Amino acid sequence: MIEFDDVQDLVSPVVIAAFEGWNDAADAASGLVDHLMEQWKAEVIGAIDPEEFYDFQVNRPVISTDHNGHRRLTWPTTRIAVARPAELDRDVILVRGIEPSMKWRQFCAELLAACDDLGAELVVTLGALLADTPHTRPIPVSGTATEPELVDRLDVEQSTYEGPTGIVGVFNDACSQLDIPAVSYWAAVPHYVAQPPCPKATLALLGQLEELLQAPMPLGDLPDDSKAWERGVDELAAEDEDVADYVRALEETRDTADLPEASGEAIAREFERYLKRRDTD
């Protein structure tokens, strides 16, 4: 059971969750939760007891020195934080952790019980996977939802995936079993640049959150970092003719597949997003 510090009542809170590990290619999903925690100055209010869920030979504790020169031991865990963004008409519960080594069902039950205690109305999980996609094009993001009403309203799909899954899939299933509305967004990271970070994928996930919550999200340095990341990959590809040829092949495949998407509807969505940001500024 997760114990909280004193927390004031939250307003229509939405949960945004990401976990390091198998579900988090290039740290794109957990990187977004880190970004939001920093931008929104989120307050950590509780954490899972790591003794129950983590193998410390796989995820080892870390020793560091604080600004006062004191030695500090930090255990791997999953933390819950609360943010009250001025730009939203609701509060946010941020869940940032590591895929557990054991007792996944109990892990999900404890997290969801904590979110329920905080009054959560919607759960959003974030993930990232490696894919055959070029770094020079917009990062694809797929979305699924647990309820037909959400599928229709958000223009996402009900998941049809079959195969091995990670903690994000188990967490979403737990939400479905408890009739908790849940949405999941996954970014496709170019597999030939899998080394973290991938700010372009993090930025793409942020765009989906912006569309879901119908409010501008804090960009911070993500746009500049994304451009710098793309320039860096361009330079690496230019040094290897085989990689450059492979990227061009991916671009041709992607451009052919995306031709129907170059529609008035897609352009209108981007323009609406731009206007929302300008009004906020």
Side-chain angles (χ1 to χ4, degrees):
M1 180 177 178
I2 303 173
E3 295 183 0
F4 295 127
D5 299 330
D6 291 336
V7 181
Q8 295 180 353
D9 290 343
L10 303 179
V11 178
S12 304
V14 56
V15 177
I16 301 175
F19 304 91
E20 292 178 24
W22 195 76
N23 319 266
D24 192 24
D27 295 349
S30 59
L32 177 51
V33 175
D34 289 338
H35 171 80
L36 293 175
M37 290 181 74
E38 179 181 356
Q39 293 291 314
W40 285 336
K41 296 179 173 55
E43 175 190 2
V44 175
I45 59 170
I48 284 274
D49 180 359
E51 203 75 28
E52 289 285 326
F53 304 105
Y54 293 102
D55 180 345
F56 297 137
Q57 290 182 317
V58 176
N59 296 289
R60 291 183 179 273
V62 176
I63 295 177
S64 59
T65 304
D66 64 21
H67 63 279
N68 293 318
H70 298 141
R71 301 288 279 168
R72 180 179 179 183
L73 186 63
T74 302
W75 293 91
T77 188
T78 293
R79 294 178 173 83
I80 298 176
V82 167
R84 295 177 171 83
E87 59 268 32
L88 298 183
D89 58 0
R90 64 196 310 172
D91 295 328
V92 180
I93 301 165
L94 294 163
V95 178
R96 165 64 163 89
I98 306 168
E99 185 175 71
S101 304
M102 60 200 81
K103 298 184 180 180
W104 285 21
R105 287 176 293 184
Q106 183 181 335
F107 177 86
C108 293
E110 288 196 17
L111 278 181
L112 287 175
C115 292
D116 184 62
D117 288 344
L118 294 170
E121 296 184 355
L122 174 67
V123 171
V124 183
T125 56
L126 305 172
L129 58 111
L130 299 179
D132 294 328
T133 187
H135 71 280
T136 53
R137 299 294 186 266
I139 295 289
V141 178
S142 59
T144 61
T146 58
E147 298 187 355
E149 184 272 331
L150 286 173
V151 169
D152 294 339
R153 179 165 63 86
L154 301 176
D155 192 25
V156 295
E157 301 176 351
Q158 283 191 292
S159 178
T160 58
Y161 170 76
E162 297 181 353
T165 190
I167 192 61
V168 170
V170 175
F171 196 68
N172 287 335
D173 181 71
C175 290
S176 180
Q177 296 297 325
L178 295 172
D179 293 325
I180 300 172
V183 181
S184 189
Y185 290 115
W186 286 73
V189 175
H191 71 88
Y192 54 91
V193 279
Q195 188 70 19
C198 183
K200 190 170 183 178
T202 298
L203 186 61
L205 287 170
L206 185 65
Q208 291 298 318
L209 281 183
E210 189 171 72
E211 196 165 318
L212 170 68
L213 299 176
Q214 293 293 295
M217 296 286 103
L219 298 178
D221 294 329
L222 280 177
D224 291 339
D225 291 345
S226 177
K227 292 175 184 176
W229 174 85
E230 187 168 336
R231 285 195 302 270
V233 181
D234 284 343
E235 292 171 3
L236 291 174
E239 295 172 0
D240 189 319
E241 187 175 340
D242 290 338
V243 173
D245 289 342
Y246 179 65
V247 171
R248 281 192 289 271
L250 289 177
E251 289 172 340
E252 291 174 5
T253 301
R254 174 72 180 276
D255 292 344
T256 300
D258 281 357
L259 280 176
E261 283 297 315
S263 63
E265 183 180 346
I267 294 171
R269 283 200 302 269
E270 290 301 316
F271 188 61
E272 286 176 6
R273 192 176 297 166
Y274 161 75
L275 289 178
K276 286 176 183 175
R277 283 207 188 100
R278 191 182 66 173
D279 289 345
T280 301
D281 293 342

